[in-house]
Amino acid sequence: MNKILDGIKIGQQIQQKIKEDLAKKNIRPGLAVILVGEDAPSQLYVSKKKKACQDVGIDFHEYLLESDTSQEHLLETIDFLNKDEHINAILVQLPLPKQFDTDKIITALDPKKDVDGFHKENIKDFLKDKSIITPGLPLGVLRLIEATGEHLDNKQAVIVSKGKIFSQPMIKILEDRHMQVKLIKPDDKDLKTITSKADVLIVSCGQAFLIKEDMVKKDAIVIDIGINKIDNDYVVGDVDYSSVFEKVKFITPVPGGVGPMTIAMLLYNTVELAKTLSEAEG
Ligand code: GUN
């Protein structure tokens, strides 16, 4: 196994399987993506999602709304898509412009079509092992860790993150794999002591080059979720890649690591929702 965990290659393998599965089962799922405003990174993400859907045979329905769209209009759009039988999965691209109450928007989604797994009911179900959807980002991270082929039982995982949306499902996924999991904030005074003990280190905090060589354990698996723009168009992660590279056993590049996996997992979850719906309809 290559030291560099290539998310483009692993993501493409997953996409290929999805494509074959859809052709064999003769299912054509429909994913609606709502993008509000003209945020350039969001436009780029959505265009990548669109291309990936078209490649595997998922109908992609794009709803592009003006940045001054009212909350009411966005809620009406969601209501319309909740009722549309050609659509089995909906994604509202985040972040939304400031005038929106993101919680309210996510809550308006039909939980059965919430492909991100962000709806409160889905998060609750997920934590109780009752959900169809495993949120795409932590699932993509798990697939990368699994791709190493390393034994995970009782190994120490450390997640460096400020937010609960990502860390909560990530902790559960790793604990389900019988790992010991610690969550730490990037500004914690013990950061270096804790990260140095991690067999699997997952970093998601949006601080370029935060993790240096003296903060990682020898032969660790390092997963870098950070996307930080340097000098306007140069993208780097939260890990100082060149400084830690020699010391670790596996590492994700940025770009080309976690990013493409989230797209593959979006396709996977869209298909899971479509299958559940077709089973429910008999
Ligand atoms: N913006 C960046 N990543 C994501 C994602 O996974 N889902 C949504 N809805 N918005 C995002």
Side-chain angles (χ1 to χ4, degrees):
M1 179 74 202
N2 198 319
K3 181 170 194 158
I4 301 169
L5 291 170
D6 184 345
I8 297 177
K9 196 167 137 200
I10 299 168
Q12 266 166 2
Q13 288 163 354
I14 294 169
Q15 273 180 226
Q16 185 57 31
K17 270 201 202 127
I18 291 172
K19 187 174 180 170
E20 288 163 15
D21 189 35
L22 286 177
K24 202 164 69 189
K25 296 208 171 82
N26 205 15
I27 307 173
R28 191 145 187 114
L31 167 67
V33 170
I34 306 174
L35 172 61
V36 186
E38 268 112 48
D39 178 56
S42 293
Q43 285 175 328
L44 180 64
Y45 287 138
V46 171
S47 70
K48 287 186 176 178
K49 289 168 185 174
K50 181 176 183 174
K51 182 174 180 312
C53 282
Q54 288 166 342
D55 283 350
V56 301
I58 292 172
D59 284 329
F60 188 88
H61 304 256
E62 201 170 21
Y63 287 79
L64 303 175
L65 307 182
E66 303 283 336
S67 56
D68 61 357
T69 297
S70 66
Q71 172 140 315
E72 200 176 20
H73 181 58
L74 178 53
L75 288 169
E76 280 166 10
T77 307
I78 291 173
D79 185 49
F80 167 79
L81 294 170
N82 282 343
K83 291 175 183 148
D84 185 338
E85 59 185 34
H86 297 106
I87 303 290
N88 68 270
I90 309 170
L91 179 146
V92 180
Q93 186 67 27
L94 302 178
L96 284 166
K98 288 193 177 59
Q99 75 264 30
F100 294 99
D101 176 344
T102 301
D103 275 351
K104 193 164 177 186
I105 299 299
I106 298 297
T107 308
L109 293 168
D110 177 346
K112 292 191 204 68
K113 296 189 178 187
D114 163 34
V115 71
D116 278 314
F118 288 166
H119 193 288
K120 281 192 195 85
E121 275 185 33
N122 287 333
I123 294 172
K124 231 184 348 182
D125 282 353
F126 172 71
L127 296 173
K128 286 195 233 153
D129 287 323
K130 283 194 199 156
S131 167
I132 314 154
I133 293 296
T134 299
L137 176 56
L139 183 60
V141 169
L142 176 69
R143 293 283 176 267
L144 286 167
I145 297 169
E146 286 173 339
T148 64
E150 294 287 294
H151 192 69
L152 302 177
D153 278 22
N154 291 316
K155 291 281 168 69
Q156 179 70 59
V158 172
I159 303 167
V160 184
S161 173
K162 291 182 239 181
K164 211 167 133 186
I165 291 194
F166 166 69
S167 59
Q168 195 181 32
M170 192 74 249
I171 292 170
K172 169 155 171 54
I173 288 172
L174 297 173
E175 285 181 346
D176 284 350
R177 299 300 310 250
H178 312 291
M179 298 191 77
Q180 308 293 323
V181 189
K182 266 206 178 93
L183 172 66
I184 186 160
K185 293 203 165 79
D187 55 0
D188 194 296
K189 65 175 176 31
D190 295 325
L191 181 67
K192 183 169 152 182
T193 315
I194 302 290
T195 56
S196 308
K197 295 190 178 120
D199 300 302
V200 176
L201 178 61
I202 301 167
V203 193
S204 171
C205 49
Q207 285 177 245
F209 308 121
L210 175 74
I211 304 294
K212 309 269 188 213
E213 190 262 348
D214 61 346
M215 298 167 79
V216 296
K217 185 174 173 179
K218 188 171 174 339
D219 290 334
I221 300 172
V222 177
I223 309 287
D224 189 352
I225 300 175
I227 301 174
N228 308 291
K229 259 197 171 170
I230 306 272
D231 303 334
N232 268 330
D233 52 13
Y234 184 55
V235 174
V236 298
D238 293 345
V239 177
D240 191 347
Y241 186 86
S242 52
S243 129
V244 308
F245 188 81
E246 283 306 321
K247 192 169 177 185
V248 302
K249 193 161 182 184
F250 295 100
I251 184 163
T252 56
V254 177
V258 174
M261 293 299 288
T262 61
I263 294 182
M265 293 304 116
L266 168 65
L267 305 182
Y268 175 82
N269 278 335
T270 300
V271 175
E272 288 304 294
L273 290 179
K275 281 185 190 164
T276 313
L277 207 69
S278 69
E279 278 161 21
E281 283 166 358

